[in-house]
């Protein structure tokens, strides 16, 4: 397609997908005691999968930046990069009333959070799968246990991997 100013333009057609799912569960317990002690503990579980975790205002950017294994037009369901799979939080607070008529209050609070998430990926800076995007080709990072399944020309090649 030739643009209004004589340059070539890409034409993209986007449709909604019925792929994707989210499972979320939360539990919370809290208690305020008469002596001014407050305790709270909560747990959140999130299992979310989607085909595009890219935040973008322009749909073309969302498509171009979405990491792919091979064909960008064949969306693959993968863990969403948003949200923590497991999250624990805890709060402990203690309040004291004082003064001649107990008109003042001091509260000391502590907060604890433990979260497991941090999904991310590495991509090549180049179009190795020829889909006309230099931004979305996933890098496969080999782990040590996988090297035993590979055939190397020399033992030095295996060590240098």
């Amino acid at each position: 397609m030739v643009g209004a100013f004589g340059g070539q333009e890409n034409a993209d057609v986007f449709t909604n997908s019925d792929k994707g799912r989210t499972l979320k569960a939360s539990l919370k317990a809290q208690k305020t005691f008469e002596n001014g002690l407050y305790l709270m503990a909560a747990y959140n579980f999130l299992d979310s999968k989607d085909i595009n975790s890219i935040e973008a205002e322009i749909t073309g950017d969302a498509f171009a930046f979405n990491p792919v294994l091979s064909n960008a037009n064949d969306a693959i369901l993968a863990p969403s990069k948003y949200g923590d799979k497991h999250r624990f939080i805890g709060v402990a607070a203690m309040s004291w009333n004082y003064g001649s008529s107990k008109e003042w209050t001091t509260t000391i609070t502590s907060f604890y959070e433990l979260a497991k998430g941090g999904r991310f990926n590495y991509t090549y800076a180049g179009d190795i799968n020829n889909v006309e995007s230099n931004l979305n080709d996933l890098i496969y990072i080999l782990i040590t246990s996988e090297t035993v399944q590979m055939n190397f020309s020399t033992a030095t090649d295996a060590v240098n991997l």
Side-chain angles (χ1 to χ4, degrees), residues 24-31 38-45 85-92 111-115:
K24 181 176 181 176
S26 297
L27 299 170
K28 178 182 173 185
Q30 65 183 16
K31 173 91 173 150
Y38 169 79
L39 297 174
M40 189 275 293
Y43 168 74
N44 186 67
F45 172 80
K85 185 153 188 147
H86 301 284
R87 182 176 183 227
F88 297 91
I89 61 171
V91 175
F111 176 84
Y112 175 78
E113 177 183 24
L114 174 66

Side-chain angles (χ1 to χ4, degrees), residues 66-72 74 76 128-129 136-140:
N66 192 35
V68 296
L69 292 172
S70 58
N71 184 346
D74 292 331
I76 296 173
I128 63 168
N129 62 356
N136 65 355
D137 299 341
L138 284 170
I139 295 174
Y140 181 77

Side-chain angles (χ1 to χ4, degrees), residues 36-118:
L37 178 64
Y38 169 79
L39 297 174
M40 189 275 293
Y43 168 74
N44 186 67
F45 172 80
L46 174 66
D47 184 21
S48 182
K49 296 199 175 197
D50 62 28
I51 59 170
N52 189 335
S53 289
I54 299 301
E55 54 190 56
E57 295 176 10
I58 301 170
T59 54
D61 287 349
F63 182 75
F65 284 97
N66 192 35
V68 296
L69 292 172
S70 58
N71 184 346
N73 292 310
D74 292 331
I76 296 173
L77 194 62
S80 176
K81 73 178 199 175
Y82 301 110
D84 299 315
K85 185 153 188 147
H86 301 284
R87 182 176 183 227
F88 297 91
I89 61 171
V91 175
M94 185 68 188
S95 293
W96 295 271
N97 297 318
Y98 55 95
S100 60
S101 60
K102 304 285 186 189
E103 70 270 20
W104 298 321
T105 303
T106 297
T107 303
I108 296 176
T109 304
S110 66
F111 176 84
Y112 175 78
E113 177 183 24
L114 174 66
K116 182 179 181 194

Side-chain angles (χ1 to χ4, degrees), residues 146-157:
E146 292 173 317
T147 59
V148 297
Q149 301 170 11
M150 302 178 82
N151 296 320
F152 296 97
S153 299
T154 66
T156 306
D157 290 343

Side-chain angles (χ1 to χ4, degrees), residues 113-126:
E113 177 183 24
L114 174 66
K116 182 179 181 194
R119 297 171 190 93
F120 60 92
N121 50 51
Y122 294 105
T123 56
Y124 290 97

